[in-house]
């Protein structure tokens, strides 16, 4: 049976990804056909919660476009103001 390490987060209580694991493992238990196909979306959500691969990739794309527009001088000043206020170290930092 698939088990998560403990279900507890780093600071006690439930881990941030436990709800995703719980849903994924329930799908694996109830799958009637091929669980790797039936539960693929839930597995993807669980792994995204753990590793943030898609989120980090998207932030890197946004940062690259920001850098490109900044260098070309085509960045809207309001966008620059908002992004530098919210992301002082850069978007993908």
């Amino acid at each position: 049976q698939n088990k998560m390490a403990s279900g507890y987060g780093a600071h006690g209580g439930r881990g941030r990804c436990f709800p995703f694991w719980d849903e994924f493992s329930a799908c694996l238990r109830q799958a009637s056909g091929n669980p790797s196909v039936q539960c693929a979306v839930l597995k993807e959500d669980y792994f995204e919660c753990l590793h943030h691969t898609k989120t980090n990739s998207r932030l890197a794309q946004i940062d690259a476009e920001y850098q490109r527009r900044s260098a070309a001088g085509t960045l809207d000043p309001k966008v620059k103001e908002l992004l530098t206020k919210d992301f002082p170290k850069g978007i993908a930092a």
Side-chain angles (χ1 to χ4, degrees):
Q1 176 172 342
N2 296 324
K3 289 193 176 194
M4 191 171 172
S6 68
Y8 292 99
H11 305 288
R14 277 191 150 179
R16 66 176 161 67
C17 298
F18 184 77
F20 293 101
W21 167 254
D22 206 25
E23 209 173 336
F24 174 52
S25 63
C27 179
L28 290 174
R29 285 191 302 274
Q30 297 168 1
S32 58
N34 185 347
S36 62
V37 172
Q38 288 178 307
C39 305
V41 173
L42 296 173
K43 178 182 177 183
E44 195 175 299
D45 289 346
Y46 175 58
F47 276 79
E48 177 60 21
C49 181
L50 289 174
H51 305 292
H52 309 292
T53 308
K54 290 180 182 179
T55 301
N56 291 337
S57 174
R58 182 66 180 137
L59 286 174
Q61 289 174 340
I62 292 169
D63 191 48
E65 182 64 14
Y66 172 81
Q67 298 301 329
R68 186 187 70 76
R69 289 187 185 191
S70 288
T74 59
L75 184 66
D76 183 321
K78 288 188 179 218
V79 170
K80 185 174 184 170
E81 179 185 337
L82 287 171
L83 289 176
T84 52
K85 182 183 95 179
D86 291 340
F87 302 98
K89 294 182 181 179
I91 296 168

